[in-house]
Amino acid sequence: MKKQRLYIAYAAAVISAATLVSSCSKILDLEPHNSTFTNAYFSTETDAKTSLAGAYAILRNILIRDNSWHKYGDIVSGELSIDGGRDNGNFNISNGEFVGLNVGGNNWNWQQYYQLLQQVNLIINKVPGIDDSKFTNINNKRHVIGEAYFLRAFTYFYMSRIWGDVPLKLEPDLDVSSAKNIPRSPADSVWKQCLADLEIAKQNLDFGYEDESERAVRANKGAAFALQAHILAWKGDYAGCEAAANEVITNGGYALMDSVNYMKVFIGKTQEGIFEININDGQSEGLSLATNGGAGVTLMMPFIDGKSYIEWPVNENYLSIYDDRDKDIRFKDFFYGLGGNQGQIIKFANIAYADGSTKRDPRMTNNLIIFRLADILLLRAEALQKLGKDGDALPLLNKVRQRAGLADYAGAGEDLATTILEERLRELFYEGHAYYDLVRNKKLSTYNEHFPEDQFVNGGWLWPIDPTMFKDDFTLTQTPYWRGKL
């Protein structure tokens, strides 16, 4: 009998996610339930909240597993000069080599994403039917539903920037034995669904937080508008992008951290944070560098005791984007030990030790930053420049530059477009955005000299899918550029 290839059995996925649930808030503190196939399960507020906790847990696992957030969003941008002797697979990936024995496996496989989508689809399908009287506050029901729609939109958009066309599955499989395979949907259809989901999310979510402990680590209306802005920029709808970004900036209640407290942004839960994945050792959520990598691949002594090498050093040629290094506080704050291919990225160098007395088992305790205000300010500036409104773009660009200690920029046209792009590359270095920014602006091969221009032009910036997924699923087709190359 054929097995469903879109996901591994849901119950096992949620059980495995239980150890990853964030303890940072009332929702995320709950243990994910492992019996959500039954209609009886979805009958109370606690059921709804534990299901949502499971969704956040699976998302966290996806983004931190094997450094996937940075692997897809940073490695291929040119930011890093990966040590091929210590990490041959990711060295090849940084050069646009998405195939080969050293780069396969999880890099090509999307099954774990459909574990998350199964969870989210169950919430969307079942929670609206729970009687309102079962909730202590009707807003709690609204927020669970809104966050579920946000998570579905985020997941599909994230997948579409990696693989392009993906199977669009909008209903949960209540009976795994009858689950059906479905073909890849065109990326345009996926984005249309993401935007539709965000409209529902925004109707159910609010700006701000009733509980400050949930700041940024639970999606709210600001996160929904930020995601909408990114999707519309990716589609080339810059008018829509500008409007969505303006909602975040005007109504979200966010604020840039000042230059003195700037590095606190990367610990997490600041006024600048819009959406983050919680990684806090003080809340038993520290990320073990021995098993998960995390910041460990970009750090060594003096930030990780006893570690004398870096797997992912900074590409110092790429740092030419910092053209005023003496004044740019980011150049000082983001990097350490430049020279001799030993440069470290220290944005995420907030390290704790499980055994503090002997400094064994180092753990990263910085949140994974997905969206923050500086990103949205610069995205709106990009949109305004694309719309021919250079004068409106400049104050947004210069607000970020001023925080960094740089003089205001006064250029226009293509020079302004380049400056906005490079400001994003400077500001968001190693935050999972650079690759997508370069692809969106058609500048990938300009900044990553090792990525072949013809590969980019012919769609080779998208990833292949795992050939093993074809075994029992005859509806799948390979990503066009990679057909015949695996």
Side-chain angles (χ1 to χ4, degrees):
M1 184 175 72
K2 291 183 180 179
K3 296 181 179 179
Q4 170 56 249
R5 303 302 296 179
L6 289 182
Y7 61 88
I8 301 171
Y10 164 77
V14 178
I15 292 170
S16 67
T19 60
L20 295 171
V21 179
S22 172
S23 58
C24 61
S25 70
K26 292 181 177 66
I27 285 277
L28 300 184
D29 190 42
L30 296 170
E31 181 177 351
H33 206 286
N34 64 2
S35 60
T36 50
F37 279 116
T38 64
N39 288 333
Y41 168 57
F42 281 94
S43 58
T44 69
E45 179 175 354
T46 299
D47 297 338
K49 287 183 174 181
T50 52
S51 296
L52 185 61
Y56 278 108
I58 300 169
L59 176 62
R60 182 182 189 272
N61 190 31
I62 286 171
L63 297 184
I64 67 176
R65 181 182 179 182
D66 200 25
N67 288 312
S68 70
W69 177 253
H70 296 297
K71 178 174 293 186
Y72 294 123
D74 290 307
I75 283 181
V76 203
S77 70
E79 292 176 329
L80 306 162
S81 183
I82 293 175
D83 184 339
R86 297 186 184 279
D87 191 345
N88 185 250
N90 284 315
F91 170 78
N92 291 332
I93 289 171
S94 70
N95 298 330
E97 299 172 32
F98 293 174
V99 298
L101 295 177
N102 294 323
V103 300
N106 291 330
N107 298 320
W108 303 338
N109 196 300
W110 58 39
Q111 288 182 334
Q112 61 185 329
Y113 298 86
Y114 287 95
Q115 297 169 10
L116 171 56
L117 290 164
Q118 168 72 0
Q119 176 85 342
V120 170
N121 284 335
L122 278 165
I123 297 169
I124 290 170
N125 181 272
K126 296 296 184 183
V127 170
I130 300 176
D131 193 276
D132 291 353
S133 66
K134 300 295 184 180
F135 289 82
T136 56
N137 185 324
I138 191 60
N139 288 338
N140 295 344
K141 181 177 180 180
R142 284 197 299 112
H143 292 166
V144 169
I145 294 169
E147 287 172 77
Y149 276 99
F150 169 86
L151 290 173
R152 187 165 75 177
F154 177 84
T155 303
Y156 271 122
F157 180 55
Y158 186 63
M159 293 177 67
S160 74
R161 291 195 298 182
I162 299 169
W163 290 288
D165 302 348
V166 295
L168 191 57
K169 193 171 182 63
L170 302 177
E171 295 292 334
D173 289 312
L174 301 178
D175 180 358
V176 175
S177 64
S178 62
K180 296 180 180 179
N181 295 314
I182 57 175
R184 300 172 76 167
S185 295
D188 282 343
S189 298
V190 175
W191 302 330
K192 182 178 179 180
Q193 183 62 49
C194 292
L195 293 170
D197 282 352
L198 288 175
E199 290 304 313
I200 300 173
K202 289 185 293 186
Q203 292 168 16
N204 284 280
L205 296 173
D206 303 309
F207 288 115
Y209 301 90
E210 293 181 7
D211 182 349
E212 276 298 306
S213 72
E214 298 174 343
R215 175 168 292 279
V217 295
R218 283 186 64 183
N220 69 357
K221 186 173 285 191
F225 273 111
L227 177 57
Q228 181 183 26
H230 271 281
I231 294 171
L232 291 171
W234 192 255
K235 282 170 52 65
D237 179 356
Y238 280 106
C241 168
E242 188 276 325
N246 189 44
E247 283 288 336
V248 178
I249 296 164
T250 304
N251 298 317
Y254 306 104
L256 290 182
M257 295 294 284
D258 60 41
S259 57
V260 174
N261 294 296
Y262 185 23
M263 293 302 283
K264 291 181 180 179
V265 169
F266 310 110
I267 296 174
K269 294 189 179 182
T270 67
Q271 291 288 325
E272 188 165 335
I274 297 173
F275 187 57
E276 306 170 0
I277 302 300
N278 195 66
I279 302 173
N280 188 314
D281 193 63
Q283 297 168 338
S284 301
E285 283 295 321
L287 182 61
S288 173
L289 302 185
T291 57
N292 289 296
V297 292
T298 65
L299 296 172
M300 62 182 224
M301 295 187 296
F303 302 99
I304 298 180
D305 194 67
K307 188 167 184 275
S308 60
Y309 59 88
I310 320 171
E311 294 91 340
W312 297 4
V314 175
N315 177 0
E316 297 191 26
N317 291 330
Y318 186 93
L319 296 187
S320 63
I321 60 172
Y322 293 90
D323 51 10
D324 200 346
R325 299 182 181 189
D326 292 337
K327 294 181 180 179
D328 196 329
I329 66 168
R330 296 169 300 192
F331 190 77
K332 173 179 65 70
D333 288 347
F334 291 178
F335 309 108
Y336 178 88
L338 296 174
N341 204 34
Q342 292 292 297
Q344 301 181 58
I345 304 165
I346 59 174
K347 271 186 173 180
F348 304 104
N350 193 34
I351 304 298
Y353 294 88
D355 184 344
S357 60
T358 61
K359 291 193 173 180
R360 293 179 180 175
D361 193 4
R363 295 175 177 273
M364 175 180 166
T365 183
N366 296 76
N367 282 1
L368 186 66
I369 311 299
I370 308 299
F371 302 133
R372 59 184 176 99
L373 182 59
D375 158 32
I376 300 303
L377 287 167
L378 292 171
L379 192 64
R380 184 174 177 228
E382 177 184 323
L384 287 165
Q385 193 283 322
K386 299 288 188 185
L387 294 169
K389 299 179 180 181
D390 290 1
D392 293 329
L394 285 171
L396 298 161
L397 167 67
N398 287 328
K399 190 170 185 177
V400 176
R401 289 175 62 86
Q402 288 161 11
R403 197 252 306 263
L406 299 178
D408 284 356
Y409 179 81
E414 284 305 309
D415 287 342
L416 175 59
T418 298
T419 300
I420 293 171
L421 172 60
E422 293 196 344
E423 197 64 39
R424 287 187 62 82
L425 299 179
R426 289 187 286 266
E427 177 71 24
L428 304 175
F429 194 102
Y430 200 61
E431 291 186 46
H433 289 281
Y435 182 59
Y436 308 119
D437 287 344
L438 293 173
V439 169
R440 184 178 67 248
N441 286 280
K442 298 179 174 57
K443 298 288 187 180
L444 178 59
S445 298
T446 302
Y447 289 83
N448 183 354
E449 60 185 5
H450 300 293
F451 197 101
E453 176 67 18
D454 64 334
Q455 179 177 334
F456 172 73
V457 170
N458 290 300
W461 58 271
L462 290 168
W463 282 72
I465 61 173
D466 189 349
T468 65
M469 293 196 296
F470 291 89
K471 182 179 179 182
D472 297 314
D473 185 352
F474 302 115
T475 69
L476 285 182
T477 56
Q478 186 55 268
T479 306
Y481 179 84
W482 299 106
R483 291 172 188 169
K485 295 184 174 70
L486 274 73

